[in-house]
Every structure is written in C-alpha cells, then in structure tokens.
C-alpha cells in the first residue's frame, strides 16, 4: 500500500509584501517508489539541439546532490532506493522533452560539482542557484524561483528581517550553498558595523541539523524555503522566522539546470524547459509538490546571479 505524507497547500504560499494566506487544504504527497509522474512528449526542436553523442547514447545522466535527502526537493521513496521529489520530476520532464531516458544518480552536494566538472553528469538538478561565481565554470538554464528561509524552534520571539538580526546567533547552513554565501556576507557586514558575528555550523545530514536545533545547540537553520516549509508543517516543532531571495537583497534568485560551461548542452535544456512550460506539464509538477509560487514564465540562459560580492 502506498504511503502518503500530508502537506498543506497554504504552507507554501509565498510570503511577500501584501501576500494573503490561502485557505488550508491538505493534499497527499506520494512517497511510494511508483510515482505516477507527470509526463510530457518529445520536442523535436529541443532534441535537435543536443550534441550527437548524447542523442545517440539515448540517456540523460542527472546528478542529484541531495545525498541522504532533502524533502521535498530530492529524497528516497519508501523503498529507500528510488529517488523522488520536485527536482527529480523536473529532470524527468526535461529528459522526456529531449527524447532521452533519465538516469538519476544521487550524490553529495560537493561531489555533484566534481561530477559536472569531470563530465560524469550531463546536468545537475539539485536546487542549484545561479551565482556569478558559478557562472565562471557552469552554464545555467533556469526553471524556478529561489527563496531561502530561516527556521527556528517554535514559540520564540526572534524574527529576522535582515542580516543584523542574526548577529551573535549560532546558525546551521549547507556547505558550498548560496545560503552559506549570504550568511557569510551578513557576518562580514555585521563585523564591519561593530556587531558580533554569527557562529556558522555545518552538518552532513538534515537529521543532524534538526537534532541540533531541537537540543538548542544551534539557534536556527538557513536553507531552501520549500524544504523548511515542509519540515515546519510536518514536524510541528519549528517555525519560519525569516524569508529571503536566494540571490540576495537586490535580485530574485533563480534555480537552474546546471551543466559544464561550453559543453553544448545548455540550449537544449532551455528549449526543453520552455517546451514543458508551454505544454503545462511543468505547472502540474510544481502543483504536485505545492510550490506553484516558484514558477517562472520562461527559462533563461545564464541570467544575473548572486553577486561575487554584496
């Protein structure tokens, strides 16, 4: 029998200026190995943009840098071996639009980029934010807005509207992520302003992060908004205390399919993404994982990203 997790649609409504909460409506999230995924059809124009060696091979080798799991972005199904989640579903759509069979290879965040550098993976679908530093080595085809959030134990009065509000706190963040970059920038600005720096902690697994949060060893966790919103709802023990663009205060962050620079693949990914946006399958996937507010109107190649300095 399939198991389902309960997630509120209202939970993932973007909390922007003047945003109104929608009425709560629980929906089941399928965590079984048999996903009954949203599907699309081959787009000949997009497939024609593939390098011959990839087209002839017939597979799209996808790196998923979510390691032991980052619900709902990428994690293992109930059988503990089948990768599922929002990022996996988008990867499947892109592969299908290109007429390829997706091969999802789960790895650590750090090894994802090693695999892209070596050509082991054709593409990374792993909540990767476009940054100016990454653009020096990689090409990007965007497919989702990127928002990050701070999560703390429920019931406190601490709220974070900007970097000054984290001074002196102990905060966990993923190594090598854009969230880490923003946290480091906040620290540098606070030190210059005479405020105490936050202590930054790193954990290999989400379970370790949340154990540290529940025990009081850290004050908060800075991570992807979809994951934090999911955990806030399902745990009942934490709350979101701040939400920000993943590209910093002056730019809307964007999540992108990521490939080694100048390997000839990024235009095919952009065309495939625009095809699934146009046919509606993209919207169905975002709705399935309750993140419709993160939709983009079109895929862009290498747009402005998180600055090198801020």
């Amino acid at each position: 029998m399939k198991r389902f997790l309960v997630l509120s649609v209202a939970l993932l409504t973007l909390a922007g200026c003047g945003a109104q909460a929608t009425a709560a409506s629980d929906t089941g999230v399928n965590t079984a190995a048999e996903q009954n995924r949203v599907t699309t059809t081959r787009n000949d124009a997009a497939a024609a943009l593939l390098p011959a060696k990839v087209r002839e091979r017939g597979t799209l080798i996808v790196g998923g840098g979510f390691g032991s799991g980052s619900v709902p972005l990428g994690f293992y199904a109930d059988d503990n071996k089948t990768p599922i989640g929002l990022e996996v579903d988008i990867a499947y759509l892109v592969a299908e639009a290109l007429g390829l069979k997706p091969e999802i290879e789960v790895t650590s965040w750090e090894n994802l980029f090693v695999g892209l550098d070596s050509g082991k993976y054709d593409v990374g679908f792993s909540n990767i934010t476009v940054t100016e530093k990454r653009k020096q080595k990689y090409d990007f085809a965007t497919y989702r807005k990127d928002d990050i959030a701070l999560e703390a134990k429920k019931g406190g009065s601490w709220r974070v509207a900007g970097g000054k509000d984290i001074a002196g706190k102990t905060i966990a963040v993923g190594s090598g992520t854009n969230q880490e970059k923003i946290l480091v920038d906040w620290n540098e600005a606070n030190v210059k302003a005479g405020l105490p720096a936050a202590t930054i902690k790193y954990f290999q697994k989400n379970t370790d992060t949340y154990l540290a949060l529940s025990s009081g060893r850290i004050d908060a966790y800075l991570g992807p908004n979809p994951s934090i919103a999911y955990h806030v709802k399902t745990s009942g023990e934490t709350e979101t205390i701040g939400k920000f663009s993943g590209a910093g205060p002056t730019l809307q962050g964007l999540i992108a399919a990521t490939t080694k620079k100048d390997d000839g693949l990024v235009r095919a990914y952009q065309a495939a993404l625009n095809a699934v946006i146009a046919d509606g399958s993209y919207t169905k996937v975002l709705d399935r994982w309750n993140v419709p507010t993160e939709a983009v109107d079109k895929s862009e190649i290498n747009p402005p990203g998180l600055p090198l300095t801020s």
Side-chain angles (χ1 to χ4, degrees), residues 193-279:
L195 297 172
T199 299
I200 302 176
K201 296 288 188 180
Y202 301 95
F203 298 94
Q204 290 296 318
K205 299 179 180 178
N206 282 352
T207 50
D208 294 337
T209 299
Y210 286 122
L211 180 61
L213 186 60
S214 64
S215 66
R217 289 186 287 126
I218 60 173
D219 297 304
Y221 164 54
L222 181 63
N225 176 62
S227 298
I228 285 178
Y230 190 101
H231 184 258
V232 165
K233 174 63 179 179
T234 56
S235 74
E237 299 175 352
T238 60
E239 60 185 344
T240 299
I241 61 169
K243 197 178 296 183
F244 312 91
S245 164
T250 61
L251 185 70
Q252 173 59 58
L254 292 169
I255 301 297
T258 304
T259 188
K260 187 177 181 180
K261 197 163 191 67
D262 299 325
D263 67 359
L265 284 164
V266 71
R267 294 197 179 279
Y269 299 149
Q270 180 197 34
L273 285 161
N274 282 329
V276 300
I277 289 171
D279 73 16

Side-chain angles (χ1 to χ4, degrees), residues 22-78:
T22 60
S25 176
D26 286 338
T27 181
V29 177
N30 180 6
T31 60
E34 176 50 62
Q35 281 288 287
N36 298 315
R37 289 186 174 88
V38 176
T39 61
T40 190
T41 57
R42 174 188 166 102
N43 183 279
D44 290 339
L49 295 172
L50 286 168
K53 65 177 183 179
V54 177
R55 190 185 313 112
E56 292 167 3
R57 189 180 67 208
T59 59
L60 186 69
I61 304 173
V62 179
F66 39 83
S68 60
S70 181
V71 182
L73 297 167
F75 58 109
Y76 286 114
D78 296 341

